[in-house]
Amino acid sequence: MLRHSACLSTIVLASIALLLSPLCRADVCPRQPVRIGYEPWLPYTYQADDGSYTGLDLDVISRVLERLGCQYDYVERPWKRLLLELETGDLHLTGGASLTAERNIWGAFSVPYRDERVELLVRKGTRDHFGKVDSLHAFLDKGFSLGHTRDYFYGDEFEQVSRLPEFYHLVQPGGDDLANLHKLEHQRMDGFLTDPYSAAAAIRTHGLNLRVTPLLTVYRSDIHVLFSRRSVSNELIVAFDQQLELMLKSGELQQLISQYLNED
């Protein structure tokens, strides 16, 4: 009874201040801590040297959940397994997700909280070597090899060209950005697809003697928090969206993003 009364008082204060949603915030949280799935990916999701979990995506998610009064835990998973556990409901949500028709079958998406672009990166100083390249198809058609990280979505064009039999030997899946950067550094591939901020963070963190430059922007997309429909209520999704929109209107969200993305 005390918890219910306190929550009603919170609603009254929030309505006056116009800072919080009209929902009873504690009531939208699951009984167990929210399980946030993540795969280490600088600068979006990672564990700092002091053991804390941070990064742009994790900071946004944790800030919203704290305002909703939800407890949460972080669960590290490879991206493919992470998506499977969201589908089954073993995880509640993850960040950094593009909206796809396949994921929309079993998942729900927040309002966008940042955007993403995927670039075809090559070694700095080699752009002239590739001539005129205005598409991934043109890049591969010239016989250049293309790296990417397994199980990530790089846009419709990549989905199409990566399935063409004539390009099978040129498309090289890798484990992560670091693996692809090493291949690029040692000239075992001509270019690879990635988020440019992720690549810059990996180069800085690992002290690589490599400089890269974009040859082509192949994809731009809104980025969302992805919820499991099996384990997350519609009420939580609505309340989560309301908090994101408040952070967007106040400028708080952009300020947080700038801390991570204006370093390069």
Side-chain angles (χ1 to χ4, degrees):
M1 182 63 69
L2 287 175
R3 179 183 176 187
H4 183 64
S5 299
C7 194
L8 288 176
S9 298
T10 300
I11 294 173
V12 173
L13 293 173
S15 299
I16 294 173
L18 294 177
L19 291 175
L20 301 174
S21 79
L23 294 172
C24 182
R25 295 182 304 153
D27 286 350
V28 305
C29 302
R31 293 184 178 181
Q32 71 273 38
V34 175
R35 289 168 57 83
I36 304 170
Y38 82 98
E39 180 180 51
W41 185 27
L42 289 168
Y44 301 106
T45 53
Y46 61 97
Q47 190 170 14
D49 293 338
D50 62 3
S52 62
Y53 296 91
T54 188
L56 171 56
D57 291 339
L58 294 187
D59 286 358
V60 170
I61 292 170
S62 62
R63 190 167 299 187
V64 172
L65 291 176
E66 287 166 7
R67 292 183 177 182
L68 295 176
C70 299
Q71 301 295 313
Y72 55 87
D73 293 325
Y74 297 106
V75 181
E76 181 180 336
R77 293 284 188 267
W79 184 250
K80 187 173 184 179
R81 181 180 170 187
L82 189 158
L83 293 177
L84 287 173
E85 292 191 15
L86 283 171
E87 184 175 359
T88 61
D90 293 322
L91 294 175
H92 291 99
L93 58 86
T94 191
S98 300
L99 196 159
T100 68
E102 180 182 359
R103 295 172 186 174
N104 203 39
I105 295 172
W106 49 261
F109 292 85
S110 74
V111 295
Y113 66 94
R114 65 174 175 88
D115 63 5
E116 172 186 66
R117 79 176 181 268
V118 174
E119 292 180 343
L120 171 54
L121 298 184
V122 298
R123 290 181 300 277
K124 194 167 185 178
T126 65
R127 287 178 60 95
D128 292 344
H129 169 70
F130 299 99
K132 182 179 180 181
V133 172
D134 57 6
S135 68
L136 287 179
H137 192 284
F139 183 83
L140 292 167
D141 200 42
K142 291 185 175 185
F144 297 121
S145 56
L146 177 68
H148 68 98
T149 300
R150 293 182 183 89
D151 302 317
Y152 279 82
F153 181 72
Y154 294 104
D156 292 334
E157 186 190 6
F158 175 76
E159 294 295 305
Q160 294 168 4
V161 300
S162 63
R163 293 189 177 100
L164 295 176
E166 61 265 36
F167 295 149
Y168 280 171
H169 66 293
L170 296 174
V171 178
Q172 302 179 15
D176 54 25
D177 277 348
L178 183 59
N180 286 323
L181 285 165
H182 280 308
K183 288 182 180 180
L184 190 64
E185 182 179 19
H186 297 290
Q187 302 185 36
R188 287 183 288 160
M189 68 169 56
D190 296 304
F192 76 99
L193 300 176
T194 187
D195 175 303
Y197 296 107
S198 173
I203 290 171
R204 287 193 299 268
T205 301
H206 297 280
L208 300 183
N209 186 26
L210 173 69
R211 294 294 177 266
V212 296
T213 189
L215 182 68
L216 183 70
T217 298
V218 301
Y219 174 67
R220 289 181 182 269
S221 170
D222 286 333
I223 291 299
H224 310 257
V225 173
L226 173 56
F227 303 91
S228 170
R229 293 187 189 273
R230 285 184 177 268
S231 56
V232 174
S233 68
N234 287 332
E235 289 78 12
L236 176 56
I237 297 169
V238 169
F240 198 101
D241 276 351
Q242 288 174 336
Q243 291 300 317
L244 276 180
E245 289 172 341
L246 287 170
M247 290 172 65
L248 179 62
K249 290 177 182 177
S250 69
E252 180 182 358
L253 185 58
Q254 185 56 49
Q255 183 180 18
L256 193 157
I257 290 172
S258 297
Q259 294 175 10
Y260 286 95
L261 301 190
N262 286 347
E263 298 176 355
D264 191 24

